[in-house]
């Protein structure tokens, strides 16, 4: 875990969180530039001289400051919408280092991405291939594409975050893949550049990645026989992080095994990590509003709800919760819940904590799919975000908390 107690006060990346919590309105997200940079550089260094591009997956955490920090480190990006492409551009990212994934790219998004000369579209269906070809021809241009294979690999993660299993909506079945490449090869608006897969998220075992790569190698050989040359292989994202006491695979070992396996193909390697770059770099800080006891339960009611952190209700995900001041008092078994009017609104169940009304808690490892999955449900404001700069002292506000004016301004009140 990324936090430590110093004189009973919780610290994160050298920062006293109690001081921060007392000064700022809760709930808020707090990130560490150092942890993000270290994770990115670990991947970067592991590739050594082997041609590669790390395309950070924007959906994990799309704050402009985080994207621009990754731009400075040399990152490319994996996007899934026109909105994410706009973020990348605004953060100073290079569209020619950006890959566009997702099963439902709209014509408008395809036009926008083509006009920005993105690195490639990761194609998810034959229909999509034909649409992109037609748009490229109409614009008298040619779209770079990679075709996403669904390797039909079973991975040990929550069913909602598997993406490369037979019945998932993503990628193209192996039985169809050669035929689609052959069609793409004939299309005048299409330039084949690669092949890609993404098998899921929070994967703690590198076996399924290796299995998928072996399938891709076999396909690449077949393509070569058909004069179709690939210049890159994109192995997606998905490497997990420890949320409790698990051990995640070592990034260097992971990359060195992948590089060794792919060496015979002599192509550039792309990866699209999200969680393993930003996940452990974020905390959610929240205040205890009320404490409630019923016959069977103790509830700690905090000011962060499922609109701020959806992972526990949506995936039954575990996030460690720490008291910001360890008061040494006896801990009680409790459920930590939010103020949202849903029984699913919980942050943690059956936790051992000792907190009083007005105390603060920190929810750990929420840098990925934390803020980016947040919403205004119950007309609650999306929280502010802060970043601890790499000097370990400066704390920058990288997003203001929503205001009620902003939330209401897109709505119209018709006089009925
Ligand atoms: N590339 C593609 C095509 C993806 O679909 C994803 C994530 C990634 C890369 C990044 O995967 P990562 O390295 O972060 O595992 N909201 C869920 C996770 C959904 C992941 C969706 N795709 C969660 O909170 O666990």
């Amino acid at each position: 875990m990324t936090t430590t107690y110093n004189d009973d006060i919780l610290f994160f990346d050298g920062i006293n969180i109690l001081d921060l919590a007392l000064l700022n309105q809760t709930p808020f997200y707090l990130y560490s530039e150092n942890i993000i940079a270290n994770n990115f550089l670990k991947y970067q260094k592991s590739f050594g001289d082997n041609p590669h591009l790390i395309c950070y997956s924007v959906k994990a955490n799309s704050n402009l400051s985080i994207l621009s920090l990754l731009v400075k480190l040399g990152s490319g990006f994996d996007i899934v919408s026109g909105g994410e492409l706009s973020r990348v551009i605004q953060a100073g990212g290079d569209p020619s280092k950006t890959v566009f994934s997702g099963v439902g790219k709209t014509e408008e998004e395809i036009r926008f991405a083509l006009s920005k000369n993105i690195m490639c579209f990761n194609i998810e269906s034959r229909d999509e291939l034909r649409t992109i070809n037609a748009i490229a021809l109409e614009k008298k241009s040619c779209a770079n594409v990679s075709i996403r294979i669904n390797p039909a690999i079973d991975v040990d993660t929550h069913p909602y975050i598997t993406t490369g299993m037979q019945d998932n909506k993503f990628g193209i079945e192996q039985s169809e893949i050669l035929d689609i490449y052959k069609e793409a090869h004939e299309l005048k608006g299409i330039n084949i550049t690669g092949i890609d897969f993404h098998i899921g998220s929070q994967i703690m075992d590198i076996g399924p990645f290796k299995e998928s790569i072996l399938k891709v190698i076999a396909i690449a050989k077949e393509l070569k026989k058909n004069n179709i040359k690939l210049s890159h292989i994109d192995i997606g994202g998905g490497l997990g992080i420890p949320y409790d006491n698990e051990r995640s695979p070592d990034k260097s070992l992971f990359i060195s095994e992948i590089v060794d396996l792919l060496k015979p193909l002599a192509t550039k390697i792309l990866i699209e990590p999200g969680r393993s770059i930003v996940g452990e770099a974020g905390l959610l800080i929240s205040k205890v509003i009320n404490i409630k006891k019923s016959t069977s339960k103790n509830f700690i009611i905090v000011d962060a709800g499922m609109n701020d952190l959806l992972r526990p209700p949506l995936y039954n995900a575990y996030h460690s919760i720490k008291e910001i001041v360890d008061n040494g008092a006896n801990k009680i078994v409790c459920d930590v819940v939010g103020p949202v009017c849903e029984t699913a609104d919980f942050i943690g169940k059956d936790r051992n904590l000792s907190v009083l009304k007005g105390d603060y808690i920190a929810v750990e490892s929420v840098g990925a799919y934390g803020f980016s999955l947040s919403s205004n449900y119950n007309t609650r404001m999306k929280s502010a975000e802060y970043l601890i700069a790499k000097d370990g002292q400066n704390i920058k506000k990288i997003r203001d908390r929503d205001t009620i004016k902003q939330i209401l301004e897109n709505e119209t009140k018709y006089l009925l």
Side-chain angles (χ1 to χ4, degrees):
M1 290 295 131
T2 48
T3 52
T4 45
Y5 282 103
N6 196 344
D7 283 339
D8 297 333
I9 294 178
L10 200 65
F11 278 68
F12 177 59
D13 193 20
I15 293 291
N16 176 326
I17 307 174
L18 180 62
D19 287 349
L20 259 190
L22 290 169
L23 279 175
N24 298 289
Q25 187 176 0
T26 53
F28 61 85
Y29 276 89
L30 175 66
Y31 309 115
S32 155
E33 177 172 347
N34 279 319
I35 300 178
I36 298 173
N38 287 343
N39 284 333
F40 180 86
L41 293 172
K42 188 113 196 230
Y43 274 123
Q44 191 74 295
K45 285 186 191 129
S46 310
F47 275 105
D49 294 335
N50 296 286
H52 70 278
L53 180 64
I54 301 165
C55 293
Y56 167 70
S57 191
V58 173
K59 64 176 87 64
N61 187 323
S62 51
N63 183 285
L64 287 178
S65 291
I66 289 178
L67 299 184
S68 77
L69 153 67
L70 290 163
V71 169
K72 282 198 201 90
L73 296 172
S75 188
F77 296 94
D78 159 54
I79 56 160
V80 288
S81 69
E84 287 191 347
L85 179 55
S86 298
R87 281 186 179 274
V88 166
I89 294 169
Q90 201 163 336
D94 184 350
S96 73
K97 284 162 78 176
T98 300
V99 300
F100 193 168
S101 310
V103 293
K105 304 171 191 83
T106 63
E107 291 192 11
E108 191 189 0
E109 289 174 319
I110 294 167
R111 285 203 174 84
F112 176 44
L114 257 181
S115 74
K116 295 294 171 192
N117 293 318
I118 61 163
M119 180 174 182
C120 71
F121 292 91
N122 288 345
I123 300 284
E124 303 255 8
S125 62
R126 198 184 285 266
D127 241 8
E128 180 179 77
L129 173 71
R130 291 176 182 168
T131 307
I132 293 178
N133 177 57
I135 295 174
L137 290 177
E138 168 204 307
K139 289 186 151 241
K140 301 200 177 358
S141 84
C142 190
N144 290 333
V145 306
S146 159
I147 296 184
R148 177 169 175 177
I149 170 187
N150 178 333
I153 297 276
D154 205 355
V155 289
D156 182 17
T157 189
H158 189 281
Y160 287 2
I161 55 176
T162 63
T163 52
M165 287 168 75
Q166 182 95 52
D167 54 1
N168 293 145
K169 67 178 175 180
F170 300 99
I172 288 166
E173 284 191 289
Q174 291 164 83
S175 55
E176 241 196 302
I177 202 102
L178 266 182
D179 198 50
I180 293 204
Y181 267 105
K182 283 184 197 162
E183 176 171 344
H185 194 48
E186 299 302 318
L187 297 173
K188 298 281 177 291
I190 296 291
N191 175 37
I192 297 171
T193 58
I195 188 164
D196 64 287
F197 64 82
H198 175 79
I199 49 179
S201 197
Q202 187 52 16
I203 301 169
M204 299 300 255
D205 168 20
I206 61 181
F209 288 96
K210 296 204 296 197
E211 253 183 273
S212 308
I213 286 173
L214 293 178
K215 293 191 176 194
V216 161
I217 292 175
I219 294 167
K221 284 184 183 154
E222 281 303 308
L223 291 176
K224 203 170 169 194
K225 284 187 205 153
N226 288 276
N227 281 326
I228 300 174
K229 198 180 160 308
L230 301 175
S231 49
H232 76 252
I233 295 198
D234 177 351
I235 64 158
L239 210 58
I241 60 168
Y243 282 103
D244 195 2
N245 293 318
E246 323 88 312
R247 280 188 61 160
S248 54
D250 177 71
K251 292 188 184 67
S252 319
L253 189 75
F254 171 64
I255 297 299
S256 79
E257 295 213 22
I258 289 221
V259 165
D260 284 351
L261 269 177
L262 285 172
K263 221 162 218 153
L265 295 187
T267 60
K268 190 175 193 170
I269 303 174
L270 265 57
I271 58 167
E272 305 169 357
R275 188 191 313 266
S276 53
I277 290 187
V278 291
E280 290 175 278
L283 297 182
L284 176 62
I285 310 298
S286 181
K287 186 175 183 171
V288 177
I289 302 177
N290 287 312
I291 293 186
K292 179 170 169 175
K293 290 183 201 303
S294 69
T295 316
S296 55
K297 284 270 182 193
N298 294 308
F299 293 106
I300 307 287
I301 303 164
V302 297
D303 61 4
M306 64 192 283
N307 71 298
D308 299 296
L309 182 66
L310 189 59
R311 300 196 73 253
L314 189 57
Y315 314 113
N316 208 13
Y318 176 91
H319 285 273
S320 143
I321 302 173
K322 297 235 167 89
E323 300 98 340
I324 289 189
V325 177
D326 184 3
N327 59 19
N330 280 346
K331 296 189 189 275
I332 54 161
V333 178
C334 54
D335 283 6
V336 180
V337 299
V340 171
C341 290
E342 297 267 354
T343 301
D345 182 31
F346 70 94
I347 293 181
K349 289 193 171 163
D350 297 325
R351 302 305 174 88
N352 276 298
L353 289 171
S354 158
V355 283
L356 301 171
K357 187 178 170 106
D359 283 351
Y360 296 97
I361 57 154
V363 189
E364 296 194 275
S365 298
V366 293
Y369 309 109
F371 185 87
S372 63
L373 273 172
S374 68
S375 75
N376 293 116
Y377 185 44
N378 277 201
T379 309
R380 289 171 47 81
M381 313 302 124
K382 285 199 213 166
S383 67
E385 294 173 286
Y386 296 86
L387 179 71
I388 306 170
K390 67 167 179 285
D391 60 11
Q393 285 175 11
N394 253 306
I395 296 160
K396 298 182 173 136
K397 192 186 228 185
I398 58 171
R399 184 190 194 274
D400 281 321
R401 185 177 168 75
D402 284 352
T403 60
I404 188 68
K405 184 168 175 278
Q406 286 169 330
I407 294 183
L408 296 182
E409 76 192 351
N410 286 341
E411 296 179 29
T412 308
K413 192 179 88 178
Y414 281 111
L415 291 174
L416 297 173

